[in-house]
Amino acid sequence: MDHSPTALFDSYEQDFRQIIDSVRAKLDGDGRDERGGQYHAEQRKAALRRVDMELDEADEMVSQMEIEIQGIPQSIKQQYQARLKTAKADLTRFKKLSKDQHSQFSRAELLASPGRVGSPSSDEPYGATSDRTRLLSGTASLEDGTRRLQESQRIALETEDQGAEILVNLRTQREQIENARDTLRTADSSIDRASGTLKRMIRRMHQQRVVTAAIIILLVLLIGIIIYEKLFG
């Protein structure tokens, strides 16, 4: 398993590219299918739904890349920031393409709906009542989709902020642990020095005791010799 600081970023970027390729294929294929008929309309609608789901996944990949880039070394961080910027630009472009095709599809559905016969009259300036209802319904659907997209973006930004905050907290905790470890090493080194000093003091004390005992014995012998000389000399 690759434990390099860029491994996860590379993995998320690869997943993002695969998703974007799939989105591109759908928007250029089924998503742009202009053929008529109920079957082809359903195909196109399903393709656009899959595009929306894949764009949500791509958005999540970009959020993960933004989190992972925080831990990349400064020496290579700039090139990864450029890659992240490119990914964001691609995501924004394909979201716009998807939104445009949704709008085109909704308009095409309204125009192709049965019952659009006759022309507007003074009593019904907007045409048939059913057409006006479908138009309002389509507009409401578009607005609802826009609101859901904005909500997804808001959640993604909140998740990004939370992830960045977690990374900062983890980095702070790691620094605290490293400082504590350095303090322990310093204390261990000080204890070793103090232990060595204490051992040397103990050796000197023993040496001084031996010297003191030798001096005492020598003095006792000299006193004994002096007393012997005085008594028997």
Side-chain angles (χ1 to χ4, degrees):
M1 183 178 179
D2 190 354
H3 295 285
S4 65
T6 63
L8 284 175
F9 183 97
D10 293 335
S11 175
Y12 289 131
E13 185 182 31
Q14 183 179 2
D15 292 342
F16 173 81
R17 288 300 164 195
Q18 291 175 351
I19 295 171
I20 287 298
D21 289 341
S22 176
V23 168
R24 182 185 291 109
K26 289 181 177 64
L27 291 178
D28 292 341
D30 294 337
R32 298 182 68 89
D33 193 348
E34 300 294 342
R35 292 174 293 180
Q38 183 67 22
Y39 173 74
H40 294 300
E42 291 299 325
Q43 269 192 327
R44 188 179 179 195
K45 186 184 295 185
L48 291 175
R49 280 199 299 266
R50 289 195 295 270
V51 164
D52 288 341
M53 290 188 291
E54 289 180 343
L55 285 175
D56 287 342
E57 293 180 16
D59 204 340
E60 178 64 23
M61 292 300 102
V62 168
S63 297
Q64 294 297 330
M65 290 161 66
E66 288 178 328
I67 293 173
E68 291 303 323
I69 204 172
Q70 303 296 326
I72 293 179
Q74 289 294 333
S75 58
I76 58 174
K77 192 171 186 177
Q78 187 174 1
Q79 67 186 68
Y80 281 86
Q81 286 175 332
R83 287 160 61 176
L84 176 60
K85 185 177 179 181
T86 300
K88 286 183 175 180
D90 288 343
L91 180 61
T92 301
R93 180 164 60 90
F94 280 104
K95 281 183 176 181
K96 185 179 184 302
L97 286 174
S98 175
K99 185 177 179 181
D100 291 343
Q101 290 200 18
H102 271 292
S103 299
Q104 292 172 7
F105 178 69
S106 297
R107 286 195 298 269
E109 273 194 322
L110 290 173
L111 293 173
S113 297
R116 292 190 86 257
V117 292
S119 58
S121 65
S122 59
D123 294 332
E124 291 184 325
Y126 297 101
T129 303
S130 59
D131 291 345
R132 187 170 59 213
T133 302
R134 284 193 293 271
L135 180 60
L136 292 173
S137 176
T139 302
S141 297
L142 287 176
E143 291 177 351
D144 185 56
T146 301
R147 283 195 299 270
R148 287 201 299 269
L149 180 59
Q150 291 173 345
E151 180 67 15
S152 298
Q153 291 176 337
R154 183 186 65 79
I155 293 173
L157 290 174
E158 289 179 355
T159 303
E160 176 187 348
D161 292 339
Q162 291 173 358
E165 184 178 353
I166 290 171
L167 281 176
V168 171
N169 291 336
L170 288 174
R171 187 175 291 109
T172 302
Q173 292 175 5
R174 183 178 66 184
E175 291 174 354
Q176 291 174 348
I177 291 172
E178 289 176 349
N179 290 335
R181 184 171 58 190
D182 292 340
T183 302
L184 286 174
R185 286 176 179 170
T186 303
D188 191 30
S189 177
S190 299
I191 291 172
D192 288 340
R193 288 196 300 269
S195 177
T197 302
L198 184 59
K199 289 178 180 178
R200 287 193 297 272
M201 291 175 64
I202 291 173
R203 279 199 305 271
R204 288 176 183 173
M205 183 183 67
H206 289 316
Q207 290 173 355
Q208 289 175 354
R209 284 182 178 178
V210 171
V211 171
T212 302
I215 292 172
I216 292 172
I217 292 171
L218 182 60
L219 288 174
V220 169
L221 288 174
L222 287 174
I223 292 171
I225 291 171
I226 291 171
I227 293 172
Y228 178 82
E229 289 292 330
K230 287 186 179 269
L231 292 176
F232 304 101

